[in-house]
Amino acid sequence: MTTQRHYSPIDRLLLQADAAMRTLLPFSGQPYRPSPAIVQPDAQMSDEDTRHVAGLMRINHTGEVCAQALYQGQALTAKLPRVRAAMEHAAEEEIDHLVWCEQRIHQLGSHTSILNPLFYGMSFGIGAVAGLISDKVSLGFVAATEHQVCKHLNEHLEQLPAEDEKSRAILEQMRIDEEHHAESALDAGGFRFPAPVKFGMSLLAKVMTKSTYRI
């Protein structure tokens, strides 16, 4: 029979600091699954297409940085142990996306966004506040966020050059995972946010995508 380990507040803060470092430091995350791009062939793309794909993948990488921060913030303040465990598990799955995007960006000869620490801090704060309000709101925020991410992934999949099968394989698997996270959050009792709240989240997402496409 296994017992669940109980962490003190100091332990949790140290774990959060470690998670932040592993999220923000280059090549410090370890994926649980290999990248779907590994089995896809290399393709020759024009310089313009390469820069565009790198920009799209940089947006997705920053999105995963935000997801890590959001889940970690929510796990820190979640009231029910099962909700905290669900947040921590989701954060582990998002590490795969983070690493896959980072690997692809460097294959394209580009860099991750220098704004990542800023977006990490903002997302962590939002997640922590949502968790403080209630687990229902916290789970609802996860669902709304993941639906927004899926929308961006669909848009990016449409913009990818047909020959870039590596990036396509990554984004398609990410979409599958994000849809599952959204459904799981709602099934666990997440609050369905009204349209005005979702619109506000969409505006914030546009700020992130516009700013990280190049920097």
Side-chain angles (χ1 to χ4, degrees), residues 2-211:
T2 59
T3 57
Q4 183 176 5
R5 182 176 177 181
H6 296 282
Y7 294 101
S8 70
I10 296 298
D11 289 334
R12 291 198 173 277
L13 285 174
L14 291 174
L15 288 171
Q16 297 301 331
D18 178 68
M21 295 297 287
R22 287 187 287 109
T23 299
L24 296 171
L25 291 178
F27 297 108
S28 57
Q30 294 297 322
Y32 294 84
R33 296 170 292 176
S35 171
I38 291 177
V39 297
Q40 301 300 327
D42 290 313
Q44 292 294 324
M45 294 188 291
S46 67
D47 290 344
E48 181 180 359
D49 281 347
T50 299
R51 285 192 297 270
H52 180 56
V53 173
L56 296 180
M57 297 306 290
R58 183 161 40 250
I59 290 171
N60 291 313
H61 179 266
T62 297
E64 295 307 319
V65 168
C66 293
Q68 280 291 307
L70 178 68
Y71 284 127
Q72 295 296 341
Q74 290 170 315
L76 184 66
T77 56
K79 296 171 178 59
L80 296 177
R82 65 175 180 81
V83 174
R84 181 180 298 115
M87 295 298 178
E88 291 171 344
H89 178 67
E92 290 176 356
E93 291 188 345
E94 298 286 357
I95 289 175
D96 288 349
H97 304 169
L98 186 78
V99 177
W100 297 347
C101 289
E102 184 176 17
Q103 290 172 344
R104 186 60 183 145
I105 289 168
H106 285 277
Q107 288 171 0
L108 294 165
S110 194
H111 58 86
T112 56
S113 176
I114 63 174
L115 300 176
N116 282 343
L118 171 63
F119 285 114
Y120 184 95
M122 291 172 59
S123 299
F124 185 90
I126 292 171
V129 169
L132 284 172
I133 294 173
S134 74
D135 288 336
K136 186 178 182 69
V137 169
S138 185
L139 289 166
F141 198 85
V142 167
T145 300
E146 298 292 22
H147 285 145
Q148 186 67 47
V149 170
C150 288
K151 179 181 177 181
H152 286 154
L153 290 172
N154 287 332
E155 292 172 354
H156 291 179
L157 283 165
E158 291 179 358
Q159 296 180 45
L160 287 179
E163 63 269 25
D164 187 6
E165 296 182 40
K166 285 184 175 294
S167 298
R168 186 172 303 279
I170 292 171
L171 298 189
E172 286 178 343
Q173 184 59 53
M174 286 173 60
R175 182 175 59 184
I176 292 171
D177 294 344
E178 307 295 11
E179 288 174 346
H180 174 69
H181 291 164
E183 293 169 2
S184 296
L186 291 175
D187 289 344
F191 178 72
R192 293 182 181 273
F193 283 12
V197 175
K198 292 181 178 180
F199 178 73
M201 293 174 65
S202 177
L203 290 180
L204 289 175
K206 286 183 179 179
V207 171
M208 184 273 283
T209 56
K210 293 293 185 182
S211 59

